[in-house]
């Protein structure tokens, strides 16, 4: 049974690596936050699978719960930041735009 | 019990794969949000349910407590994941990320 959990864990790890593409090359910042949110929820599940492989789920459940909470808070915080700025452009992009306009 | 666990894990991995393909292939932010929000919530619930059921295969007080904790994670994900999706979409609307139209080409 541990081999099966190992196979599912490796599959989930490959999915995390593939979805890292959206974080690296997202057109907007919100795409990157979305990719980070997806990777976080996949990691929450992967931690439980690691707990099953080690035969010690009781310890990894707490880590997974903390990771789920952190993922939610981090997404809400980053989203709130860009909601207040009302712009997805970073400072360097804005300055380059101003210099191009001048 | 093992068969149910493997079936639920396979379904969960399938939905994770569908969500990842969605966020890689869809043309603009809102459609990616659509794929990621639903598929991730459903896949997380399925895999958490599988782990909780497999953990109950030797029933003792400790494993029942661990299964209750896993179902609490499932309940939290069930509330938090749509909330995060809603907040991201609202931020995109306020910020002014333009939705995909037929004129704007294949990729935004």
């Amino acid at each position: 049974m541990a081999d099966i959990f190992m196979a599912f864990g490796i599959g989930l790890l490959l999915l995390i690596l593939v979805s890292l593409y959206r974080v690296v090359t997202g057109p907007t910042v919100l795409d990157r936050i979305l990719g980070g949110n997806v990777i976080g929820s996949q990691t929450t599940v992967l931690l439980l699978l690691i707990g099953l492989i080690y035969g010690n789920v009781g310890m990894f459940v707490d880590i997974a719960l903390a990771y789920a909470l952190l993922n939610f808070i981090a997404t809400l915080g980053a989203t709130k930041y860009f909601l207040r700025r009302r712009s997805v452009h970073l400072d360097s992009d804005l300055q380059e735009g101003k210099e191009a306009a001048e | 019990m093992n068969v149910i666990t493997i079936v639920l894990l396979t379904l969960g991995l399938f939905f994770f794969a569908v969500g990842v393909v969605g966020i890689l292939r869809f043309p603009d932010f809102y459609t990616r949000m659509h794929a990621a929000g639903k598929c991730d919530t459903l896949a997380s619930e399925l895999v958490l349910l599988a782990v909780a059921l497999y953990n109950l295969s030797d029933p003792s007080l400790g494993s029942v407590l661990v299964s209750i904790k896993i179902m609490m994670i499932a309940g939290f994900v069930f509330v938090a994941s749509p909330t995060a999706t809603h907040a991201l979409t609202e931020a995109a609307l306020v910020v002014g990320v333009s939705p995909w139209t037929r004129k704007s080409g294949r990729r935004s």
Side-chain angles (χ1 to χ4, degrees):
Chain A
M1 207 61 189
D3 291 339
I4 300 171
F5 291 138
M6 184 74 92
F8 279 112
I10 290 172
L12 204 53
L13 198 64
L14 289 178
L15 283 181
I16 289 177
L17 283 180
V18 172
S19 56
L20 204 59
Y21 175 80
R22 184 50 70 199
V23 181
V24 174
T25 71
T28 66
V29 177
L30 292 171
D31 279 303
R32 295 171 208 262
I33 300 173
L34 168 64
N37 191 12
V38 169
I39 288 178
S41 64
Q42 283 168 351
T43 308
T44 307
V45 166
L46 183 64
L47 276 170
L48 284 176
L49 286 180
I50 291 173
L52 281 184
I53 290 168
Y54 281 130
N56 188 9
V57 193
M59 188 174 80
F60 282 87
V61 161
D62 296 336
I63 305 173
L65 183 56
Y67 205 91
L69 285 165
L70 268 179
N71 184 31
F72 177 56
I73 300 287
T75 305
L76 277 193
T79 306
K80 186 97 181 174
Y81 177 70
F82 287 105
L83 193 65
R84 277 213 190 133
R85 292 178 55 126
R86 296 183 175 262
S87 157
V88 283
H89 302 294
L90 298 175
D91 282 339
S92 57
D93 292 345
L94 283 179
Q95 281 169 1
E96 282 174 8
K98 275 179 193 168
E99 287 167 2
E102 286 168 0
Chain B
M1 195 65 97
N2 285 352
V3 176
I4 299 174
T5 306
I6 290 174
V7 167
L8 284 177
L9 275 177
T10 311
L11 274 177
L13 207 66
F14 169 73
F15 279 110
F16 267 134
V18 170
V20 168
V21 169
I23 69 168
L24 286 188
R25 293 283 300 161
F26 271 140
D28 75 332
F29 178 73
Y30 299 102
T31 46
R32 277 176 215 140
M33 206 72 244
H34 162 78
K38 285 196 258 298
C39 287
D40 265 9
T41 313
L42 179 57
S44 297
E45 297 293 324
L46 285 172
V47 179
L48 288 170
L49 191 63
V51 175
L53 279 181
Y54 180 75
N55 198 45
L56 280 179
S57 55
D58 54 339
S60 66
L61 185 59
S63 67
V64 169
L65 276 180
V66 167
S67 286
I68 289 175
K69 260 188 203 171
I70 293 173
M71 291 323 286
M72 282 169 76
I73 296 180
F76 175 72
V77 166
F78 198 71
V79 175
S81 182
T83 309
T85 307
H86 179 84
L88 267 172
T89 314
E90 190 190 4
L93 266 180
V94 168
V95 158
V97 177
S98 59
W100 181 81
T101 55
R102 208 173 279 261
K103 282 180 201 165
S104 60
R106 292 193 63 222
R107 294 269 170 178
S108 70

